[in-house]
Amino acid sequence: MDRITQWVSTQEIPADLTIRIAHSIFPLHKAVMVPRCGYIRRAVAADTKDKDKDPSAASVELDLSAIPGGADAFEKVARYCYGANFEINARNAAALRCAAAFLDMADLPRRVDEFLAQAALPSAVAVLRSCEVLLPAAEELGVARRAADAVALRICNEALFPTRPSPPGWWAAELAALSPASFQKVATALRCRRAAPEVLAAAASAYAELALAEVLADPSQADQRALVESVVEVLPSGADAPIPAALLCRVLHAAVNSEASAKTCRDLELRVAAVLEQATAGDLFSVALDGAGERVRNADTVRRVVAAFVERQQAADSHQGERRNRRSSMSEAVDSSGKSAMEKVARMVDEVAAEMATEESLGISRFVGVAGAVPKEARACHDGVYRAVDIYLKTHPALDEIEREKVCSVMDPLKLSYQARLHASQNKRLPLQAVLSALYYDQLKLRSAGSEDADDYDTRSAAEQARAQAMADASLARENEALRSELARMQAYVSGMQQQHSKGSASSRAASPAEKKKKASFAFLGSVSRTLSKLNPFRGGGWAIKDTASVADGGRHNSSNAVQQHVVKPKRRRFSIS
């Protein structure tokens, strides 16, 4: 103000126009300001018309406290009107443009627009940022829109013709200084200029990343919640620009832990579900963690995301089924891609469920909700979900039988691989029903394999033959082991009884009827022992059994009573089960 006073006083002409802005007073001249400022010209004309009734009033006093930019901006405007030199830069360009538009000036707005047209991207961003303190005037006068358009133009030029070799996408970091409302103006300007979706996605991703760093530093503050909600609102839709799934998962994690509004969280859940097949298990698992990233606290959010994805896929399959008759080839191609996406998400959910299962405080309903969010028929093999179930049961050993059955309800034992079923049949943590289901499936496969013809057996693949053979060998081994144990037990029992009988016969002179009955019992036990010895398939491997009785089996035997030793090869039982 001192400079203005000195400058006006050097003109040696009395001031006849006084401008008052808050506590600042500018003594000026009508002859200088009226020709250049339409607003002042109209105000002086209206004031002079009123003052015609009182000729003593020669000077005019106007209150321009409503001018954007305040006294500082008006000082530069007045200096421009008086022909003084000053620099238009990124710090004062927006205020000058708003003040010039408010005063209805012709030349100064054009000069500011020329500055914006020639300014580099950082300067254009600074101008747009300075508009934030000039709202709503900057919005009403169109200054913010012009600054946003200048920023969008620089971004498009930089994307097509980079001015810096490294780092790539450096221009996206310049947008971090903007508020969400200003960034929304830039995104709108980029769409109007038909920028490539990759450019818009890169700008939105960089802005969201930098905003997330600020939010995650202290997610409990109310202003951080507002920032997250604002960032979600300015993110472009998937049709405009594909935002990476990893970034959307991090934004959802920040929104949930900062306690953003339910609408914001639901919108993010749907956006993550739309690109869930592009995410990784780590991205989805990060959504379930708390703000510190240490404990599982948001399992329900993961369940809703997966459920939304499944619902989208089912709706798409239903829609494609209606078009299958008209364009069958295209429908089949889309169906296969949708099936692969569902299988990929199913594997991802199994990995996430396995990671969440290590949390001791995770309830059964939440674990089942996540692991069972994908339909069972979407998984070709249930080994992944079985692994998650086994980890959960190992982490929670105090569950009773009913609770363990509820945990195992998310998997189908009949869809386990051979190795997984073998592990499940020996897993003591599983409930009895799950173990029996796995064993029952093996029994069905064995019976099915045993009932096949030789031609069918030869036409099966080598892998199936090897698995069926291994299962049959295991069954035979169990059966033979049981027979061998029973044979050894019976032989020991019979030997003991025979020794006792021989001792009793030597001491007695005549056999009583009870003793005769005992002899008959001994003979019967000996017959049983010999019969079991014939059934033993291990005799060919070194077991020699002496047959002391002549058995008529349709063959010819030696008439002598000499003891003959028979060595019988093990009987090959193809695909027999006990």
Side-chain angles (χ1 to χ4, degrees):
M1 299 306 102
D2 294 338
R3 292 197 304 270
I4 290 293
T5 303
Q6 294 175 3
W7 169 42
V8 173
S9 62
T10 58
Q11 306 297 323
E12 298 180 355
I13 300 175
D16 56 359
L17 176 62
T18 302
I19 303 298
R20 183 182 299 275
I21 300 176
H23 300 289
S24 302
I25 298 176
F26 297 87
L28 304 174
H29 302 87
K30 296 177 185 178
V32 177
M33 302 299 296
V34 168
R36 292 178 177 270
C37 303
Y39 181 89
I40 294 178
R41 181 170 60 251
R42 291 189 295 272
V44 169
D47 186 79
T48 303
K49 183 178 180 181
D50 295 338
K51 295 296 178 63
D52 287 342
K53 300 178 181 179
D54 186 7
S56 61
S59 63
V60 177
E61 182 177 344
L62 299 177
D63 188 353
L64 298 182
S65 298
I67 187 171
D72 292 338
F74 182 78
E75 177 190 356
K76 294 180 176 60
V77 170
R79 289 174 64 85
Y80 174 78
C81 294
Y82 277 87
N85 294 325
F86 64 92
E87 178 187 7
I88 299 177
N89 52 41
R91 294 186 298 274
N92 59 26
L96 282 176
R97 186 65 176 78
C98 291
F102 179 83
L103 295 174
D104 193 12
M105 300 179 66
D107 297 337
L108 186 56
R110 179 176 53 81
R111 290 188 58 183
V112 176
D113 291 341
E114 291 176 355
F115 168 80
L116 283 176
Q118 299 175 2
L121 178 60
S123 299
V125 172
V127 173
L128 180 57
R129 185 181 181 185
S130 62
C131 291
E132 298 172 1
V133 298
L134 299 172
L135 297 175
E139 186 72 28
E140 296 172 355
L141 298 173
V143 179
R145 180 181 58 81
R146 288 187 177 89
D149 186 68
V151 173
L153 177 61
R154 299 298 176 275
I155 291 176
C156 292
N157 293 339
E158 188 65 32
L160 295 175
F161 310 102
T163 59
R164 299 183 186 179
S166 62
W170 63 268
W171 51 267
E174 297 290 338
L175 304 176
L178 298 176
S179 66
S182 297
F183 178 81
Q184 180 64 52
K185 294 181 178 65
V186 174
T188 303
L190 287 172
R191 295 189 189 96
C192 294
R193 289 189 172 273
R194 299 185 182 277
E198 294 78 10
V199 175
L200 184 57
S205 300
Y207 184 78
E209 288 280 6
L210 295 172
L212 282 180
E214 182 180 353
V215 172
L216 295 178
D218 189 4
S220 61
Q221 296 184 5
D223 56 343
Q224 305 294 40
R225 293 195 296 270
L227 179 59
V228 172
E229 295 174 359
S230 301
V231 169
V232 174
E233 291 178 0
V234 302
L235 287 178
S237 62
D240 292 339
I243 303 298
L247 175 60
L248 290 176
C249 289
R250 290 196 296 272
V251 175
L252 177 58
H253 174 252
V256 173
N257 288 283
S258 62
E259 298 181 357
S261 64
K263 179 180 180 300
T264 300
C265 295
R266 184 56 182 169
D267 292 344
L268 281 173
E269 291 171 2
L270 295 178
R271 296 196 62 166
V272 173
V275 294
L276 187 58
E277 67 275 10
Q278 303 174 10
T280 63
D283 297 333
L284 186 59
F285 180 65
S286 64
V287 177
L289 298 177
D290 56 3
E294 298 177 353
R295 307 295 297 273
V296 176
R297 289 292 180 269
N298 306 315
D300 292 338
T301 303
V302 177
R303 176 185 57 80
R304 288 192 295 267
V305 170
V306 178
F309 169 81
V310 173
E311 184 178 354
R312 284 175 57 91
Q313 289 297 122
Q314 292 176 349
D317 294 343
S318 175
H319 180 66
Q320 292 158 11
E322 297 175 357
R323 300 172 54 190
R324 186 171 302 171
N325 295 331
R326 292 178 295 176
R327 305 180 67 179
S328 59
S329 60
M330 181 180 296
S331 298
E332 291 174 0
V334 176
D335 288 344
S336 61
S337 62
K339 183 178 180 181
S340 62
M342 181 69 79
E343 292 177 353
K344 180 179 179 181
V345 171
R347 291 192 297 268
M348 183 196 315
V349 171
D350 293 345
E351 295 179 14
V352 172
E355 292 291 337
M356 295 173 58
T358 59
E359 180 65 37
E360 296 181 358
S361 61
L362 184 66
I364 297 177
S365 60
R366 292 189 174 183
F367 173 79
V368 172
V370 174
V374 178
K376 292 182 179 180
E377 58 271 14
R379 299 181 176 95
C381 180
H382 281 219
D383 288 4
V385 69
Y386 168 67
R387 174 175 174 269
V389 167
D390 188 41
I391 294 175
Y392 187 86
L393 294 178
K394 185 176 181 180
T395 309
H396 304 78
L399 300 180
D400 57 22
E401 186 74 10
I402 297 178
E403 292 174 335
R404 286 185 291 163
E405 289 180 359
K406 184 177 181 181
V407 173
C408 294
S409 64
V410 298
M411 71 173 183
D412 186 359
L414 302 183
K415 287 189 176 182
L416 296 177
S417 64
Y418 172 72
Q419 293 78 8
R421 289 197 306 272
L422 184 62
H423 184 276
S425 63
Q426 302 173 0
N427 193 346
K428 297 180 180 180
R429 291 184 290 270
L430 292 179
L432 182 60
Q433 182 179 0
V435 176
L436 291 178
S437 298
L439 294 177
Y440 177 71
Y441 181 80
D442 283 341
Q443 292 285 347
L444 291 179
K445 294 293 291 184
L446 283 173
R447 292 178 182 178
S448 176
S451 63
E452 290 179 352
D453 297 332
D455 295 338
D456 296 337
Y457 176 80
D458 294 336
T459 57
R460 289 185 302 174
S461 63
E464 293 178 348
Q465 292 181 15
R467 187 174 66 177
Q469 185 65 36
M471 295 165 63
D473 292 344
S475 178
L476 284 174
R478 290 193 297 266
E479 180 183 355
N480 293 334
E481 183 66 24
L483 288 173
R484 186 172 65 179
S485 300
E486 182 66 19
L487 177 62
R489 188 181 67 82
M490 292 296 297
Q491 285 181 342
Y493 178 75
V494 169
S495 299
M497 294 296 294
Q498 288 178 349
Q499 292 177 1
Q500 294 179 4
H501 175 68
S502 60
K503 293 179 180 179
S505 299
S507 59
S508 62
R509 290 174 296 179
S512 63
E515 292 175 344
K516 293 181 179 180
K517 186 176 181 180
K518 186 179 295 186
K519 291 181 180 180
S521 176
F522 288 157
F524 173 73
L525 290 175
S527 176
V528 171
S529 176
R530 288 190 294 272
T531 302
L532 289 176
S533 65
K534 291 181 180 181
L535 293 177
N536 182 20
F538 292 93
R539 291 187 301 173
W543 286 66
I545 305 299
K546 295 182 179 181
D547 188 5
T548 57
S550 177
V551 181
D553 55 355
R556 301 183 63 182
H557 297 274
N558 196 338
S559 58
S560 62
N561 293 330
V563 178
Q564 297 181 358
Q565 182 175 357
H566 298 275
V567 179
V568 182
K569 294 184 179 180
K571 196 173 184 180
R572 183 63 175 176
R573 305 186 182 185
R574 182 167 172 268
F575 299 110
S576 63
I577 60 173
S578 56

